[in-house]
Amino acid sequence: GAGVSQSPSNKVTEKGKDVELRCDPISGHTALYWYRQSLGQGLEFLIYFQGNSAPDKSGLPSDRFSAERTGGSVSTLTIQRTQQEDSAVYLCASSPFGGNEKLFFGSGTQLSVL
Amino acid sequence: AQSVAQPEDQVNVAEGNPLTVKCTYSVSGNPYLFWYVQYPNRGLQFLLKYITGDNLVKGSYGFEAEFNKSQTSFHLKKPSALVSDSALYFCAVREKTNAGKSTFGDGTTLTVKP
């Protein structure tokens, strides 16, 4: 596709369940980012992938959060044993190389934990 | 560590008046600086960036920003505001020597009244 694609667009889950969020970056983009946007808050960095390098996981809030990127393309963010405070919009972004390149954002996944 | 401060949660201006949205940053070395805009129910879009060179950067939709190294600021400006400029604006910084994650501010809601 022409842009960054995220699925699902909305996810409602019960507390304690696991969820998987998917991101398809723009073809050819080597850098991929996950951010979290809570209501009334800014963008919170979660994790960054660049090519075949080890990801920067410094923003993951707890060990319930993990992410992988298969084949240098699609990425999945997994949240285990969801909590109500995990409710937020999860945004994925990609860029050609990282560095001074701008980020291209997807429309996000709205996660609601009941 | 890098950080961004957007000191105003809300900026209100009348249509036709100039607007300024403030941003200050902190990085260990030299910065890459970005502004993004988020319109209601839409994803974040890139507005402009400062990489090097001229301190005044021009971007999309008539916006510009001025890099001030001594004040560590990168304020967003527009000479004449439009009602359609009403949106949520984010400033972001990335260290040149760590061309990985971008750190975003908490955002400023701009409201332009007719």
Side-chain angles (χ1 to χ4, degrees), chain A residues 15-80:
Chain A
K15 178 181 173 181
K17 300 285 189 182
D18 297 351
V19 295
E20 285 189 351
L21 312 180
R22 177 187 169 102
C23 173
D24 275 286
I26 293 172
S27 179
H29 281 193
T30 62
L32 186 148
Y33 309 76
W34 284 98
Y35 286 86
R36 178 167 71 174
Q37 186 177 20
S38 302
L39 191 63
Q41 301 292 319
L43 272 69
E44 177 188 5
F45 168 78
L46 297 177
I47 189 168
Y48 161 63
F49 296 90
Q50 173 57 277
N52 295 322
S53 301
D56 177 352
K57 303 180 181 180
S58 61
L60 295 178
S62 78
D63 59 7
R64 297 187 295 106
F65 288 73
S66 63
E68 60 179 24
R69 188 177 186 191
T70 54
S73 181
V74 172
S75 178
T76 302
L77 177 68
T78 301
I79 309 173
Q80 295 179 311

Side-chain angles (χ1 to χ4, degrees), chain B:
Chain B
Q2 56 193 33
S3 65
V4 174
Q6 292 182 243
E8 300 156 318
D9 292 336
Q10 180 99 25
V11 170
N12 298 313
V13 298
E15 187 173 32
N17 283 0
L19 70 86
T20 299
V21 182
K22 295 180 181 178
C23 171
T24 59
Y25 67 90
S26 175
V27 294
S28 300
N30 292 314
Y32 297 134
L33 292 157
F34 304 81
W35 276 101
Y36 292 85
V37 59
Q38 187 174 38
Y39 297 104
N41 300 315
R42 294 174 63 180
L44 276 90
Q45 301 174 30
F46 168 80
L47 269 182
L48 50 78
K49 66 180 179 182
Y50 170 80
I51 304 302
T52 189
D54 193 348
N55 290 341
L56 184 63
V57 178
K58 295 186 183 296
S60 307
Y61 312 120
F63 283 93
E64 59 189 28
E66 186 166 13
F67 170 62
N68 187 317
K69 188 172 183 177
S70 63
Q71 298 185 5
T72 61
S73 67
F74 190 57
H75 301 330
L76 181 70
K77 300 182 179 184
K78 187 173 182 180
S80 179
L82 300 173
V83 173
S84 57
D85 293 330
S86 299
L88 181 59
Y89 291 81
F90 290 96
C91 180
V93 67
R94 188 187 299 162
E95 285 188 51
K96 286 187 179 181
T97 55
N98 176 22
K101 67 183 183 184
S102 294
T103 298
F104 284 75
D106 287 341
T108 298
T109 300
L110 172 67
T111 302
V112 182
K113 298 183 178 179

